[in-house]
Amino acid sequence: MNRQTILLISDMRQVYLAEILTKKGRSVRCLDIRNSETVPEQMEKLKGFLAEADMLILPIPVSKVPDQKRLNDILNKSLMQGTLVLGGCFTPEQKAFFEGRDIHFLDFMEDTVVTEENAVATAEGVIAELVNNSPYNIDEAKILVTGYGCCGRAIAVRLKGLGARVTVLARRREARKEAKKDGFYAVDFAFGPEEAMGAAMLVNTVPAPVVTRAMIQELPRDAYILDIASMPGGCDFACAKECGIRADLVLGIPGKYAPKESAHILERAIDRFALREGKA
């Protein structure tokens, strides 16, 4: 059966994903939102397409859709109950809307398999960002990694493999125990300011305000902060700017550095979800 899938394209992941889904026999309608000038036109098309769609695939994160208010309004007025919705990092309001209307949805970033598979591409992309933006080598550099979930662990392991002196900061005792078992020095965030002294780089993976003023003020002025947590990140960017320390929030790293591999990861998640919902 030829199924109607609407795919919003915000990076190369979705370009490759469209190719993969089309080859598998799906009828895919792509709406390219990478050009801000054409977004209003694409959103108008979305309204018309939704009536015939059995699947809507939104960006990762969904916040890449420039006008969230308009997106939510279109979903509220035009999304059919039987349409499966997929995307990354849905807001609490969007989740509540889906649940209230009994619309089945999948948040890619809450799918265990996706997060584990994406962690590899994320870690490799993080290393590329550090190499491009830090004035120091990774080898022998003191690097702080905040958080020890799938991404934090993958990043820490690869940085250690490149010769970095990695310190893990984690809130949960279980996470610190896991990091120590993996051979890392791991401490609570209470020790953040102390550990920041002499650190050349800091990679944050926690979507909460954990990279605080107290920590940033202890970093060397030529340190580099890379925040990959979902919006708005976990770093006090205003403080970093005030201190003259470069701090970047970089989202969607797998889509930037490994878009084709990431597309296959998403396609497998779509298949699992569709099978579960009886629409494979």
Side-chain angles (χ1 to χ4, degrees):
M1 181 177 177
N2 199 28
R3 302 192 180 279
Q4 182 72 56
T5 300
I6 302 174
L7 177 60
L8 271 67
I9 295 178
S10 61
D11 59 42
M12 284 301 297
R13 269 179 298 193
Q14 288 89 23
V15 174
Y16 286 118
L17 181 58
E19 293 178 0
I20 294 167
L21 294 176
T22 300
K23 286 178 181 177
K24 293 191 70 173
R26 283 191 176 271
S27 175
V28 182
R29 284 186 166 179
C30 296
L31 298 173
D32 196 331
I33 61 169
R34 290 174 291 181
N35 184 343
S36 60
E37 293 182 3
T38 61
V39 167
E41 176 188 343
Q42 298 300 304
M43 298 305 280
E44 278 299 309
K45 289 182 179 179
L46 176 61
K47 283 167 55 177
F49 291 166
L50 279 174
E52 301 175 4
D54 74 338
M55 185 176 292
L56 170 64
I57 305 174
L58 296 167
I60 305 173
V62 176
S63 60
K64 282 189 174 182
V65 179
D67 191 340
Q68 287 288 291
K69 185 175 183 301
R70 187 169 189 198
L71 171 64
N72 291 342
D73 185 58
I74 290 172
L75 295 179
N76 183 48
K77 293 178 179 177
S78 304
L79 185 63
M80 308 297 287
Q81 187 176 10
T83 303
L84 301 181
V85 182
L86 305 93
C89 305
F90 289 113
T91 66
E93 293 76 19
Q94 288 165 338
K95 291 179 181 179
F97 164 72
F98 296 144
E99 290 165 356
R101 293 270 293 271
D102 195 28
I103 291 168
H104 295 197
F105 69 97
L106 172 69
D107 192 321
F108 289 121
M109 294 299 94
E110 293 180 4
D111 183 285
T112 304
V113 178
V114 171
T115 54
E116 288 178 353
E117 292 181 338
N118 259 340
V120 174
T122 298
E124 292 181 5
V126 162
I127 290 168
E129 290 285 335
L130 296 179
V131 169
N132 285 333
N133 297 303
S134 171
Y136 293 101
N137 288 337
I138 288 176
D139 183 48
E140 289 299 318
K142 179 180 180 181
I143 302 178
L144 306 186
V145 176
T146 56
Y148 204 69
C150 286
C151 284
R153 183 178 185 278
I155 291 164
V157 166
R158 283 159 180 77
L159 288 175
K160 182 181 177 184
L162 290 172
R165 295 178 289 118
V166 179
T167 295
V168 172
L169 276 68
R171 291 178 291 189
R172 293 185 304 109
R173 186 171 172 232
E174 294 80 6
R176 296 195 297 272
K177 281 180 67 177
E178 188 70 23
K180 289 175 182 176
K181 192 164 76 172
D182 290 338
F184 297 104
Y185 179 59
V187 296
D188 184 79
F189 279 100
F191 296 93
E194 178 182 333
E195 292 303 324
M197 296 179 187
M201 304 164 218
L202 185 155
V203 181
N204 176 55
T205 69
V206 182
V210 294
V211 185
T212 61
R213 173 174 289 271
M215 192 185 305
I216 293 169
Q217 287 177 332
E218 297 299 333
L219 287 169
R221 293 302 174 259
D222 57 0
Y224 175 59
I225 300 173
L226 175 61
D227 194 333
I228 65 166
S230 55
M231 289 283 286
C235 174
D236 186 337
F237 290 100
C239 177
K241 184 175 181 180
E242 179 185 310
C243 294
I245 295 173
R246 179 170 177 180
D248 294 332
L249 177 62
V250 181
L251 304 177
I253 282 182
K256 181 178 179 181
Y257 287 99
K260 194 161 190 176
E261 181 63 34
S262 298
H264 282 291
I265 291 171
L266 297 181
E267 182 264 330
R268 290 193 291 271
I270 291 166
D271 278 354
R272 291 193 300 271
F273 183 54
L275 182 63
R276 193 163 68 238
E277 298 296 325
K279 291 192 178 184

